[in-house]
Amino acid sequence: DHHQTKTLLAPLVDLLFGLCYDIRTTLDDPTCESPWTVTRLSTSFSWLDPPRAPSDAVYACLRRALTYPLYRSWAVACSTINDVEHLLRAGRVAVLKALLRLRTLFADGDRYLLNTIWVDDYCAWLQSWSDSAAERRLGG
């Protein structure tokens, strides 16, 4: 169960990184480029190839943040990793709200399929956790 949870949390880190990066760089005001940015920063979204471990997700996100977006800054990328960490430590409800925000971002246009492939299942998975289980899985 612990290995399976760790395997499922790795793509979650990947998805949240793209969202947190966009929030940081647009000052929490999404633009028409926001879906593109989130998609490019996440290997799960761009290649449908999820990372195997959370550490792999962090490395991939840092590499992609220094390659694709308009603001290619090590400081911004590291700050975004910290944002993801704070979001995960905030608990299940905060992560679920972030995923629902991501879902809204992809609702229009041709990226709506990413909701079906990734976001909807993660939302359902997070809702199935008890608060104590979420604290152990996300906070630890």
Side-chain angles (χ1 to χ4, degrees):
D1 183 46
H2 177 70
H3 177 69
Q4 182 182 18
T5 300
K6 196 173 182 179
T7 303
L8 290 172
L9 285 177
L12 183 61
V13 169
D14 187 48
L15 305 180
L16 293 175
F17 181 86
L19 179 65
C20 288
Y21 182 92
D22 186 68
I23 289 170
R24 179 170 283 280
T25 57
T26 62
L27 301 176
D28 202 10
D29 186 21
T31 68
C32 61
E33 293 295 322
S34 292
W36 181 90
T37 301
V38 173
T39 303
R40 288 295 161 253
L41 293 177
S42 168
T43 57
S44 300
F45 281 156
S46 63
W47 286 97
L48 301 179
D49 183 26
R52 304 288 182 243
S55 60
D56 294 341
V58 170
Y59 294 134
C61 290
L62 289 172
R63 280 194 309 264
R64 295 177 81 83
L66 296 173
T67 306
Y68 290 107
L70 177 62
Y71 304 112
R72 297 175 187 152
S73 166
W74 179 254
V76 171
C78 289
S79 295
T80 304
I81 291 292
N82 289 334
D83 294 344
V84 172
E85 181 182 356
H86 290 300
L87 182 61
L88 290 172
R89 290 191 187 281
R92 175 177 63 103
V93 174
V95 173
L96 187 57
K97 284 182 181 180
L99 288 174
L100 292 174
R101 185 175 182 168
L102 189 61
R103 190 176 194 296
T104 302
L105 193 64
F106 288 149
D108 297 329
D110 59 346
R111 290 183 173 87
Y112 71 94
L113 289 173
L114 294 173
N115 285 334
T116 305
I117 296 170
W118 289 105
V119 180
D120 293 346
D121 290 337
Y122 269 109
C123 289
W125 184 56
L126 281 172
Q127 290 179 69
S128 70
W129 293 0
S130 67
D131 287 333
S132 62
E135 185 177 320
R136 279 193 319 272
R137 291 173 180 162
L138 296 175

